[in-house]
Amino acid sequence: MPAVIVERFIPVNLPELFVSRLRDQLGAAYVLDATPALALYAADALGIGSPPDLVVIPASTTAIAQVARLCHEHRVPLVVRGAGTGYTGGAVPTRGGVVLSMERLNRIVEIDEVNLLAVVEPHVITADLQRAVEAVGLFYPPDPASLETSSLGGNVAECAGGPRAFKYGTTKRYVLALEAVLPTGEIVRTGSKAVKNVVGYDLTQLLVGSEGTLAIITRITLRLIPKPPARATLCASFSGVKAAVDAVTALLERRVVPAAIELIDADSLRAAEAYAGRSVAAGDALLIVECDGTPAAVEEEIGRVEAACRNAGAVEVTRAASDAERDDLWAVRRQVSLALRATGLLKINHDVVVPRGRVPQLFAVVDELRREFNIKIASFGHAGDGNMHVNLMIDRHSEDERVRAKAAERVLFERVVALEGSISGEHGIGFAKAPYLGIELSPEVIALMQRVKAAFDPHGILNPAKIFPPGRATDPS
Amino acid sequence: MPAVIVERFIPVNLPELFVSRLRDQLGAAYVLDATPALALYAADALGIGSPPDLVVIPASTTAIAQVARLCHEHRVPLVVRGAGTGYTGGAVPTRGGVVLSMERLNRIVEIDEVNLLAVVEPHVITADLQRAVEAVGLFYPPDPASLETSSLGGNVAECAGGPRAFKYGTTKRYVLALEAVLPTGEIVRTGSKAVKNVVGYDLTQLLVGSEGTLAIITRITLRLIPKPPARATLCASFSGVKAAVDAVTALLERRVVPAAIELIDADSLRAAEAYAGRSVAAGDALLIVECDGTPAAVEEEIGRVEAACRNAGAVEVTRAASDAERDDLWAVRRQVSLALRATGLLKINHDVVVPRGRVPQLFAVVDELRREFNIKIASFGHAGDGNMHVNLMIDRHSEDERVRAKAAERVLFERVVALEGSISGEHGIGFAKAPYLGIELSPEVIALMQRVKAAFDPHGILNPAKIFPPGRATDPS
């Protein structure tokens, strides 16, 4: 984790009565105000933020409702924090106030094999649930690269994706029901354990991806599916990113539906190799494709994938021969982000997304940016979904490079939107991308979203200064 | 279509200025006020409603925005109508005002084979889009029984399901982006052509299933998938519904994932046979199971389905040997609803849903209701999803039966909710089920939904008296 830039946007002085009531309700041990403890809650994976004035660590929905009511009553900013693995500062205070850590709500409540669902508290780590359900032949597909460290509550708040979203969709497709605490303190339950539900508005889907700004998610009911009985993983290297992208296009044209189509460009590949201390691929771009399903279907599909890759000019195509080889391959992919950080450059991470077939145009945009702004860019990600992690790699000591990167980032967003894409496919807006919201959304849509925000949070206490552009955020009133 | 019960809930006198401005803007030919024309817009498939004071038939989003602005300005109720195939009165005025018919917005704007999506106007008939995309090797899965007559706009407004929802999910899974007109007259665009998008709140998913109460959907961008290359359909008859339900449970336990698992009980089967004029199945309950995917996967899966059905005691198992046989089988299933109406009894149609594995308990509830209320009940539907159409079959001339049915319907909803299910899996609430909303949703959730409604529609002009229980509906103010 890089050094936190500690910057208090607007100081808040917490009323003494407020603090003493919190201590009474939660117990003094779960209300932290010592500076070293607070510093632990000052940043997420973005590495920028300011410490809260207070951290509370409640153990139940009821206790969370009490915290919300107190914050609402005293108009104190309240920021919910899961595992702190987000990339846009979504779980980080920008102006002090209270951070509510979910760390004690960490139980898998139920894995229901008859109804194919799981009920979890928000702080269950994603991979832990996956292992638990796979042990009984079930499957929870969403697989963000952070799956060993991120929590399901955070996954739901951000609508996490991952490689398998290509076939299986993102987190939202699996959330059946939620228990949540409104910023005004009421406990609400949305959705049900039934897989279809059209009773009133779909508040469940509205809460998924709302980045902790509408309600505090306290319990999650997830749909599970049968675990695919077989899978096969293939790694194809290409002379360059253009050939690899052509192979992706060919896969889409052949209407193959693998579980995942991942792309790693040359800079990302070299960083990953340096990080892993070994050579990973011969060429200058790598595709990882995984198929799953019945054994016969997998065999047929992976054959079509291999043929398409060879046709598109793959330098080398290798199938993982064992689970260990497969895990190795995915470890390389999951560590690309860490590997890029380990280069010592400042990695400004974007997760833009274009319509499925427009990845070639997206890479053309990346080339333009390299030329126009003279900056290094390393890209990797979910090519099958049109969702690439485009990382501006900046010398952290060069003010000039920072300025150019800032300019390039705006142009990247503008050109992605011109391609009918979106400025974020996975990481959300937080405060890092809030200034750019207007590139994608019209003033009418932003105003509508702010009215929806006010319907949940009339005083704007919950996760203020997130999502909405500065100057028109729904600030605490 | 049974006779419409014409009942004006609250009369509205439209200001003359309002009517003349509408005529100026749309052209007199597209503003109808003659009684015979109005009567055509007085009911949907529920058969209950009241005629509007005026029907407008705009041809563009801009014209729709003008209508909305005028209605907003004059506080006139505005009800959007698609193909009028809904079962809960969602597209029907309850107190006069204006019906806005979408019938002129009926173009498939684009089928985009590169990006795997379609852009349509709301009045495209569902099956027409399906045929158009299948002609180029693509697939739009949602398949409500009404697919030859219902429109995609209506499907989106109600979040239509259908048999294939078991494997492919309901309409919401396919809606990427919407253009919509707010009741205040602004035109908004939500979502994008990218398959992942986490920029701000998911207003797209909030509009799906909102039953025409939040905004007027004017253009829809739908995600498409590759058409499965093979499919196989099987029909298994059982001595009774219990054995058929046991077979469904066995399929879920074996973790088979067919495209559809449909169940038809004895009363529904006999009605379907009478309607079709031929014998359909030997037993007293019928399962229709369809598998799709690669040829090898389909062959393997349908084999497992057949084995499970025989194991569970199927009287007869037949695979459709040709497309014609398959179409025949599905025609029987799709006509069950019509066949039940053709019995001459009044069919009070419910679409309750329970968690996947609780269909046996749902049928136990149906048996209890038969005994406790002494009424006929015919059930059929999406057993794999736990979503059954439970039809109370009433002598329309017996006031006593009507009263008993009314009492039974409330008990049905209560027991379904006690099973952690939902009172509607497909048809929505409209005004028909509005009095029962509180059985499933808490007062806090209903109040929250009403605040969301107000964020879109401050004066409550759009589709008033729908979804929310009478007495606390967001009425025009």
Side-chain angles (χ1 to χ4, degrees):
Chain A
M1 178 85 52
V4 171
I5 300 170
V6 177
E7 180 190 339
R8 176 66 52 89
F9 289 58
I10 298 171
V12 171
N13 288 312
L14 298 184
E16 276 191 33
L17 174 65
F18 169 80
V19 178
S20 68
R21 285 172 73 186
L22 272 180
R23 287 218 166 86
D24 285 351
Q25 286 176 351
L26 301 184
Y30 296 108
V31 179
L32 315 180
D33 63 357
T35 304
L38 298 180
L40 296 175
Y41 297 87
D44 61 9
L46 177 69
I48 306 173
S50 73
D53 294 291
L54 214 62
V55 173
V56 297
I57 314 176
S60 69
T61 302
T62 318
I64 290 169
Q66 287 172 334
V67 172
R69 268 196 300 275
L70 272 176
C71 287
H72 179 250
E73 200 175 307
H74 291 272
R75 308 285 188 265
V76 172
L78 175 59
V79 178
V80 181
R81 184 184 178 96
T85 59
Y87 278 120
T88 56
V92 170
T94 59
R95 51 185 66 180
V98 171
V99 161
L100 190 163
S101 169
M102 302 303 288
E103 59 206 82
R104 291 168 77 196
L105 278 80
N106 60 1
R107 288 182 315 135
I108 297 177
V109 178
E110 181 184 11
I111 293 173
D112 179 342
E113 295 182 58
V114 175
N115 296 302
L116 307 189
L117 53 87
V119 180
V120 299
E121 292 182 337
H123 208 71
V124 170
I125 299 303
T126 308
D128 288 342
L129 177 72
Q130 288 177 332
R131 281 185 282 264
V133 304
E134 288 181 33
V136 295
L138 294 172
F139 195 49
Y140 176 69
D143 59 343
S146 59
L147 56 82
E148 291 287 355
T149 48
S150 63
S151 68
L152 287 162
N155 289 183
V156 170
E158 301 292 319
C159 190
R164 292 197 293 236
F166 180 71
K167 178 171 180 176
Y168 291 105
T170 61
T171 301
K172 70 169 64 191
R173 196 182 287 179
Y174 299 90
V175 183
L176 287 178
L178 292 171
E179 177 192 78
V181 173
L182 299 184
T184 41
E186 296 106 313
I187 299 168
V188 295
R189 286 173 193 85
T190 70
S192 75
K193 286 186 174 175
V195 291
K196 292 157 120 180
N197 183 326
V198 290
V199 176
Y201 303 138
D202 194 341
L203 299 182
T204 308
Q205 291 295 315
L206 182 61
L207 289 179
V208 177
S210 65
E211 305 193 32
T213 65
L214 296 181
I216 305 163
I217 294 165
T218 51
R219 188 168 279 209
I220 306 162
T221 302
L222 293 167
R223 189 172 71 87
L224 304 173
I225 61 175
K227 188 181 172 190
R231 68 184 162 197
T233 311
L234 168 156
C235 154
S237 62
F238 294 84
S239 61
V241 81
K242 180 156 183 342
V245 168
D246 287 347
V248 174
T249 306
L251 288 174
L252 292 177
E253 277 170 2
R254 287 172 186 223
R255 309 273 158 84
V256 196
V257 188
I261 306 178
E262 294 288 303
L263 173 61
I264 305 178
D265 80 354
D267 285 0
S268 306
L269 196 52
R270 296 293 94 83
E273 289 180 326
Y275 190 78
R278 63 185 173 88
S279 167
V280 169
D284 261 352
L286 191 70
L287 278 190
I288 301 175
V289 184
E290 186 160 285
C291 297
D292 65 10
T294 64
V298 166
E299 195 48 39
E300 197 247 315
E301 265 187 356
I302 200 84
R304 292 172 68 197
V305 171
E306 183 165 348
C309 287
R310 291 198 189 282
N311 248 345
V315 177
E316 195 177 55
V317 181
T318 325
R319 291 196 199 181
S322 63
D323 276 359
E325 275 189 36
R326 176 187 175 275
D327 290 348
D328 264 8
L329 205 50
W330 280 111
V332 168
R333 164 64 188 85
R334 292 216 173 89
Q335 286 167 1
V336 169
S337 199
L338 285 173
L340 286 171
R341 284 180 179 215
T343 59
L345 294 174
L346 180 65
K347 167 176 167 279
I348 303 178
N349 178 353
H350 294 299
D351 62 318
V352 294
V353 54
V354 293
R356 289 222 141 121
R358 294 195 183 140
V359 176
Q361 291 93 316
L362 175 58
F363 274 97
V365 167
V366 169
D367 274 342
E368 290 160 18
L369 295 177
R370 281 198 187 99
R371 280 197 310 272
E372 289 170 29
F373 296 92
N374 185 30
I375 43 177
K376 280 194 181 166
I377 304 180
S379 302
F380 64 94
H382 320 301
D385 278 326
N387 179 208
M388 295 301 297
H389 298 289
V390 173
N391 301 280
L392 312 186
M393 303 297 294
I394 304 302
D395 176 352
R396 61 178 74 236
H397 307 295
S398 162
E399 181 57 24
D400 180 54
E401 279 209 12
R402 278 177 187 269
V403 171
R404 276 185 278 127
K406 208 75 193 158
E409 135 179 314
R410 173 171 286 276
V411 174
L412 170 66
F413 293 152
E414 287 168 352
R415 293 189 188 166
V416 160
V417 169
L419 288 171
E420 299 183 275
S422 178
I423 66 173
S424 178
E426 293 189 327
H427 301 162
I429 302 300
F431 68 80
K433 290 187 189 163
Y436 303 119
L437 197 72
I439 294 176
E440 181 164 341
L441 303 182
S442 70
E444 291 79 10
V445 167
I446 294 175
L448 178 58
M449 287 182 181
Q450 287 181 308
R451 294 198 299 275
V452 170
K453 162 76 173 171
F456 281 78
D457 185 12
H459 299 299
I461 63 156
L462 195 62
N463 215 4
K466 304 297 167 65
I467 298 182
F468 299 107
R472 46 178 168 181
T474 48
D475 290 349
S477 60
Chain B
M1 176 90 47
V4 171
I5 300 169
V6 177
E7 180 190 339
R8 176 69 50 89
F9 289 58
I10 298 170
V12 170
N13 288 311
L14 297 184
E16 277 193 30
L17 175 64
F18 168 80
V19 178
S20 68
R21 287 173 71 185
L22 272 180
R23 287 220 167 85
D24 286 350
Q25 287 175 351
L26 301 184
Y30 296 110
V31 179
L32 316 180
D33 63 358
T35 305
L38 298 179
L40 296 175
Y41 297 87
D44 61 9
L46 177 69
I48 305 174
S50 73
D53 293 290
L54 215 60
V55 172
V56 298
I57 315 177
S60 70
T61 302
T62 319
I64 290 170
Q66 287 172 334
V67 173
R69 268 196 301 274
L70 273 176
C71 288
H72 179 250
E73 200 176 306
H74 291 273
R75 307 286 189 266
V76 172
L78 175 59
V79 178
V80 182
R81 184 185 179 96
T85 59
Y87 278 120
T88 56
V92 170
T94 59
R95 51 185 66 180
V98 172
V99 160
L100 190 164
S101 170
M102 302 302 288
E103 59 205 85
R104 290 169 77 197
L105 277 81
N106 59 2
R107 288 181 313 137
I108 296 177
V109 178
E110 181 185 11
I111 293 173
D112 179 342
E113 294 182 58
V114 175
N115 296 302
L116 307 189
L117 52 88
V119 179
V120 300
E121 292 181 338
H123 208 70
V124 171
I125 298 303
T126 308
D128 288 342
L129 177 73
Q130 288 177 332
R131 282 185 283 263
V133 304
E134 289 180 33
V136 295
L138 294 172
F139 194 51
Y140 176 70
D143 59 343
S146 59
L147 56 83
E148 291 288 354
T149 48
S150 63
S151 68
L152 287 162
N155 289 183
V156 171
E158 301 293 318
C159 190
R164 292 197 293 236
F166 180 69
K167 179 172 180 176
Y168 292 104
T170 61
T171 301
K172 70 169 65 191
R173 196 182 288 179
Y174 298 90
V175 183
L176 288 178
L178 293 171
E179 177 192 78
V181 173
L182 300 184
T184 41
E186 297 105 314
I187 299 169
V188 295
R189 285 172 193 85
T190 70
S192 75
K193 286 185 174 176
V195 292
K196 293 157 119 180
N197 183 326
V198 290
V199 176
Y201 303 138
D202 194 342
L203 299 182
T204 308
Q205 291 295 316
L206 182 60
L207 289 179
V208 176
S210 65
E211 305 193 32
T213 65
L214 295 181
I216 305 163
I217 294 164
T218 51
R219 188 169 279 212
I220 306 162
T221 302
L222 293 167
R223 189 172 70 88
L224 304 173
I225 60 174
K227 188 182 173 191
R231 66 184 166 198
T233 311
L234 168 157
C235 153
S237 62
F238 294 84
S239 60
V241 82
K242 184 166 179 333
V245 168
D246 286 347
V248 173
T249 306
L251 289 175
L252 291 177
E253 278 171 2
R254 288 172 186 223
R255 308 273 158 84
V256 195
V257 188
I261 306 178
E262 294 289 302
L263 173 61
I264 305 177
D265 80 354
D267 284 1
S268 306
L269 195 53
R270 296 292 94 84
E273 289 180 327
Y275 190 77
R278 62 184 172 88
S279 167
V280 169
D284 261 352
L286 191 70
L287 278 190
I288 301 176
V289 184
E290 187 160 283
C291 297
D292 65 10
T294 65
V298 167
E299 195 48 40
E300 198 248 313
E301 265 187 356
I302 200 83
R304 293 171 69 197
V305 171
E306 182 165 349
C309 288
R310 290 199 190 281
N311 248 345
V315 177
E316 195 177 52
V317 181
T318 325
R319 291 196 200 181
S322 64
D323 276 0
E325 275 188 37
R326 175 186 176 277
D327 291 347
D328 264 9
L329 206 51
W330 281 111
V332 168
R333 164 63 188 84
R334 292 217 173 89
Q335 286 166 1
V336 169
S337 200
L338 285 173
L340 287 171
R341 284 180 180 216
T343 60
L345 295 173
L346 180 67
K347 166 175 167 280
I348 303 178
N349 179 352
H350 295 299
D351 62 319
V352 294
V353 55
V354 293
R356 289 221 139 121
R358 293 194 184 140
V359 176
Q361 290 93 317
L362 175 58
F363 274 98
V365 167
V366 169
D367 274 342
E368 290 161 18
L369 295 177
R370 281 197 187 99
R371 281 197 309 271
E372 291 171 28
F373 295 92
N374 185 30
I375 42 177
K376 280 194 183 168
I377 304 180
S379 303
F380 63 94
H382 320 302
D385 278 325
N387 179 207
M388 296 301 296
H389 298 289
V390 173
N391 301 280
L392 313 185
M393 303 298 294
I394 305 302
D395 177 351
R396 60 178 73 236
H397 307 294
S398 161
E399 181 57 25
D400 179 54
E401 279 210 12
R402 278 176 187 270
V403 171
R404 276 185 278 126
K406 208 75 193 156
E409 137 179 310
R410 173 171 286 277
V411 174
L412 169 66
F413 292 151
E414 287 168 350
R415 292 187 189 166
V416 161
V417 170
L419 288 171
E420 298 182 278
S422 178
I423 67 173
S424 177
E426 293 189 329
H427 301 161
I429 302 300
F431 68 81
K433 289 186 190 166
Y436 303 119
L437 197 71
I439 294 176
E440 181 164 341
L441 303 182
S442 70
E444 290 80 9
V445 167
I446 294 174
L448 178 58
M449 287 182 179
Q450 287 181 309
R451 292 198 299 274
V452 170
K453 161 76 172 169
F456 281 77
D457 185 12
H459 298 299
I461 63 157
L462 195 62
N463 214 4
K466 306 296 168 65
I467 299 182
F468 299 106
R472 47 177 167 183
T474 49
D475 288 349
S477 60

